[in-house]
Amino acid sequence: MTVLDATAQTADGITVAGEPCVLIKLGEVVLKGRNRETFERRLQGNIRSAVRDIAPVEIWRRHGVMVARVGGGTADVATVDALAERIADVMGIVWVHRAWRVGKDPDSVVRAALDLMSGRTGSFAVRSRRRDKRFPLTSTEIDRLVGTKIVEAYGLPVRLKNPDHTLAVEVDRDEVFVYTDGLPGQGGLPVGMSGRALVLLSGGIDSPVAAYRMMRRGLRVDYLHFSGMPFTGPESIYKAYALVRELDKFQGGSRLFVVPFGKAQQQIKSSGADRLAVLAQRRLMLRTGELMAHRLGGAALITGDSLGQVSSQTLANMTALNDAVELPILRPLVGMDKVEIMDTARRIGTLAISELPDEDCCTLLAPRRAETRAKIEDLRQIDKRLDAEELAERLADSAQEHRPAYGEGAA
Ligand code: ATP
Ligand code: MG
């Protein structure tokens, strides 16, 4: 048993007997055996790199949870709060708590609980659990002991349903964690666990959300953006850059590849593609993406297509797009409504960036009536006339790499 005698002061000036730390609840803990080991190791590494700029941390793996503490237990509360906020963006975590680490004995638990509840008004409930049963009290006994002490000290009413404050007590192997608040995590799987893929990122609302959803399923993603350059300004590139910088909080180390697409679009137009121009161009984007994915070690392409949202996103047209490449095209938004997509975009911080004005490269090519039931044979003919394979090769070679990092350039 470790003896802990740390104290620290909260932002409200209350001194709490315990060491401030971050208690991390893991997602999908149903995973068993080797998978679970991989999950936890990957998550541990991802957390460590996410908080590298804030403080050097130690991350302990416990049963179903992890603990992040500032090296040597020297943290102040503000640093721990900053850690918790960053960790809440790391994929594979369902809940993040700013917790206090105290000695594994009832007295230490009561002392910290009283400190944490001091100055509060309203009703409360204590919820205890034991991950390690070697503790003199059962969970029910802890609830009762701590609850009674809080009533005696502050006269607050106990309310088990919808209390104003919930005080959690979690008994662990070497210590007890006590906390009152937390941040919801993103859920899902640690980035990197499912491999790597390439996102086709426009400046729009949908593709950043698609990227988010696939990162959440454990994919590490690279980004590919086609600009209308040299026939448009660089605005769409700035937007793509800003979007990747925001999305980088979910994985770190993001790479954005930008391909000037204006001249290729001109070629498509003069190839007589006519009503098929939009699809021909999307096939060319996918072909280019496939070449780049191979170079980057990506095993799939990701797009923001949502069934029926725009005329190029009919089932027939999606089939015609799939025909252009061999890699699977992941479309995580295929069954989502625009409202749901926008809600997610708002929550993950990309909506405002996507709504900035720009000159979408696609508008250069908008035919009067777009084809909704493209014939694959016709598209293959256009590809032949364009020498799409060769063209895609040249486009991939022309890609410029950027490394937008979360937090960089922030005011
Ligand atoms: P978004 O909101 O993501 O722009 P959208 O609803 O505007 O999507 P489309 O314009 O048909 O739909 O594009 C469908 C998908 O094709 C996008 O989600 C994106 O994955 C890809 N895409 C379109 N334009 C570009 C571009 N300029 N660069 C890279 N990918 C693109
Ligand atoms: Mg778009």
Side-chain angles (χ1 to χ4, degrees):
M1 187 167 88
T2 31
V3 179
L4 280 163
D5 54 7
T7 62
Q9 226 176 36
T10 68
D12 306 327
I14 294 161
T15 301
V16 181
E19 179 200 315
C21 65
V22 184
L23 186 64
I24 301 160
K25 301 285 174 76
L26 311 192
E28 314 225 345
V29 279
V30 284
L31 290 168
K32 295 261 172 2
R34 275 236 18 94
N35 266 345
R36 175 168 191 146
E37 178 72 13
T38 315
F39 181 109
E40 294 195 0
R41 281 195 185 288
R42 180 74 69 164
L43 182 58
Q44 203 175 11
N46 290 355
I47 294 170
R48 206 184 301 284
S49 42
V51 301
R52 207 171 23 214
D53 302 343
I54 301 173
V57 292
E58 294 168 23
I59 298 164
W60 294 336
R61 286 163 56 194
R62 295 290 162 78
H63 195 74
V65 302
M66 284 186 191
V67 184
R69 68 193 287 256
V70 175
T74 53
D76 57 275
V77 175
T79 305
V80 171
D81 284 353
L83 287 177
E85 264 166 44
R86 278 305 284 113
I87 292 172
D89 286 332
V90 176
M91 302 296 190
I93 294 168
V94 288
W95 210 264
V96 172
H97 299 288
R98 271 86 53 104
W100 296 80
R101 206 178 144 242
V102 306
K104 200 172 170 180
D105 58 88
D107 283 350
S108 300
V109 173
V110 168
R111 194 161 352 113
L114 288 177
D115 291 344
L116 275 177
M117 291 303 294
S118 95
R120 298 195 193 224
T121 56
S123 59
F124 79 100
V126 181
R127 307 213 197 285
S128 308
R129 56 179 300 182
R130 300 185 306 168
R131 276 188 291 279
D132 183 350
K133 309 286 182 205
R134 293 169 305 166
F135 194 71
L137 306 178
T138 66
S139 322
T140 318
E141 287 167 346
I142 302 172
D143 287 351
R144 222 173 274 140
L145 170 71
V146 175
T148 307
K149 295 288 185 188
I150 292 171
V151 171
E152 280 172 16
Y154 308 122
L156 302 180
V158 174
R159 200 163 92 199
L160 297 181
K161 254 194 197 153
N162 298 322
D164 296 315
H165 308 282
T166 302
L167 185 104
V169 177
E170 299 189 9
V171 178
D172 222 308
R173 200 181 65 200
D174 301 329
E175 69 272 279
V176 179
F177 297 97
V178 184
Y179 60 85
T180 55
D181 60 0
L183 305 163
Q186 309 300 322
L189 301 171
V191 164
M193 225 186 134
S194 307
R196 189 182 272 280
L198 182 66
V199 178
L200 275 71
L201 185 79
S202 67
I205 292 168
D206 302 334
S207 36
V209 175
Y212 169 80
R213 293 192 59 129
M214 295 324 296
M215 282 190 274
R216 200 170 66 179
R217 292 315 299 167
L219 280 178
R220 169 162 284 283
V221 301
D222 297 304
Y223 298 90
L224 173 59
H225 172 71
F226 296 92
S227 83
M229 300 268 271
F231 303 123
T232 63
E235 290 77 13
S236 81
I237 302 175
Y238 299 156
K239 273 178 80 174
Y241 192 97
L243 286 168
V244 175
R245 186 172 52 192
E246 190 64 32
L247 290 166
D248 187 54
K249 67 189 173 200
F250 300 115
Q251 64 169 17
S254 304
R255 295 184 289 188
L256 165 65
F257 297 88
V258 176
V259 169
F261 202 56
K263 286 189 181 146
Q265 289 177 304
Q266 234 173 16
Q267 274 174 266
I268 293 171
K269 203 160 191 175
S270 51
S271 76
D274 202 38
R275 282 176 64 181
L276 290 174
V278 170
L279 284 168
Q281 126 167 328
R282 298 243 4 241
R283 280 168 65 100
L284 185 57
M285 287 182 182
L286 290 165
R287 268 182 199 276
T288 309
E290 180 170 58
L291 283 172
M292 298 199 50
H294 284 142
R295 295 178 192 178
L296 297 165
L301 300 172
I302 298 169
T303 72
D305 293 314
S306 166
L307 186 61
Q309 196 193 87
V310 295
S311 62
S312 61
Q313 295 173 7
T314 62
L315 213 45
N317 286 354
M318 286 190 200
T319 307
L321 293 174
N322 291 351
D323 173 69
V325 291
E326 271 167 22
L327 278 184
I329 302 172
L330 306 182
R331 298 176 168 97
L333 311 189
V334 75
M336 281 174 82
D337 285 358
K338 194 73 189 181
V339 180
E340 296 171 281
I341 297 170
M342 288 180 71
D343 285 346
T344 308
R346 197 174 295 113
R347 183 171 64 74
I348 66 177
T350 57
L351 184 64
I353 306 168
S354 294
E355 284 177 340
L356 293 170
D358 73 340
E359 211 177 343
D360 189 347
C361 75
C362 301
T363 54
L364 293 176
L365 258 190
R368 283 181 306 280
R369 265 182 69 212
E371 186 56 71
T372 55
R373 294 177 55 188
K375 294 240 170 41
I376 290 179
E377 249 336 297
D378 297 343
L379 286 162
R380 288 182 180 169
Q381 282 303 321
I382 296 169
D383 281 2
K384 253 196 213 122
R385 290 206 293 274
L386 278 175
D387 199 352
E389 236 165 274
E390 160 87 33
L391 187 52
E393 196 92 45
R394 263 187 288 134
L395 288 166
D397 288 341
S398 72
Q400 296 257 1
E401 183 179 343
H402 303 268
R403 298 234 171 195
Y406 181 66
E408 145 218 309

